[in-house]
Amino acid sequence: MSPIIGNAIVILILAVILFFAGRSTLRTFKNEVSGKGCAGCSGNCSCSNCGCKKK
């Protein structure tokens, strides 16, 4: 296999991984900004808006 094809495959795989990681990070950030995350909780996550409420 040509080294160019191997490099292209590795770059493509890394791009896919980075895309999903970035998308997850942006989703988490948007939830924190809108108040749905755990940043506003006082440690025990008993607030009504907390997204990490224990079930």
Side-chain angles (χ1 to χ4, degrees):
M1 180 165 35
S2 173
I4 294 175
I5 294 174
N7 288 341
I9 291 171
V10 169
I11 290 171
L12 181 65
I13 291 171
L14 287 174
V16 169
I17 291 170
L18 286 174
F19 169 76
F20 284 113
R23 187 175 76 164
S24 174
T25 302
L26 286 176
R27 236 184 239 163
T28 302
F29 182 73
K30 283 189 344 186
N31 284 339
E32 292 291 339
V33 169
S34 67
K36 296 178 186 173
C38 295
C41 294
S42 61
N44 61 0
C45 261
S46 61
C47 58
S48 61
N49 294 346
C50 191
C52 65
K53 217 177 200 181
K54 294 183 180 178
K55 297 176 183 176

